[in-house]
Amino acid sequence: MLETVAYGLAIALNLFIIFIGVRFLLVPHAAAAGYGVPVEPGKGDAFLSVKGVRDLTYGLVGLALLAFVGVQAEAWFMLVVALAPLGDTVIVLRHGGTKAVAFGIHFATAVTVLISAALLFAL
């Protein structure tokens, strides 16, 4: 049971961040608004693309580690990559986003990623 939950959560988180990355590449301004810091059309497009590539890459690396290296590598990856949503929490707060988005989305994501790491380490 623990194995199913640990693998399932890790796969779901990696697929979700792939989705977010693709969204930032395809509809960057809508994605930025969902992120919590809206950007005016025509402004910041390069940085929104950078975010998209970053997130897409994180998700693909996570899936590759799980598939080809193993659970311990994925656990360490999740532990380290939790820094990204923690940083996102701070970014949203510093740039006029709401506390609800900062903590309800980004901080909650960081906690979920850390739970995933803990479950993977437990295997």
Side-chain angles (χ1 to χ4, degrees):
M1 174 73 174
L2 177 63
E3 189 171 342
T4 303
V5 172
Y7 273 95
L9 183 57
I11 290 168
L13 287 169
N14 285 303
L15 290 174
F16 187 62
I17 200 63
I18 288 170
F19 167 76
I20 290 171
V22 170
R23 186 168 184 238
F24 265 91
L25 292 171
L26 297 178
V27 287
H29 297 283
Y35 175 86
V37 183
V39 176
E40 292 180 35
K43 295 190 177 186
D45 291 352
F47 292 106
L48 297 177
S49 294
V50 168
K51 169 122 172 74
V53 170
R54 177 194 82 165
D55 289 349
L56 177 62
T57 301
Y58 282 164
L60 292 173
V61 168
L63 290 176
L65 286 172
L66 197 56
F68 301 113
V69 181
V71 173
Q72 290 299 308
E74 179 73 7
W76 282 106
F77 172 76
M78 288 292 194
L79 184 64
V80 172
V81 85
L83 292 171
L86 286 173
D88 291 342
T89 302
V90 173
I91 290 166
V92 169
L93 291 172
R94 288 186 66 203
H95 294 279
T98 67
K99 288 182 181 179
V101 170
F103 293 107
I105 295 173
H106 300 293
F107 188 79
T109 298
V111 170
T112 305
V113 172
L114 291 172
I115 289 168
S116 177
L119 291 171
L120 292 166
F121 278 125
L123 296 181

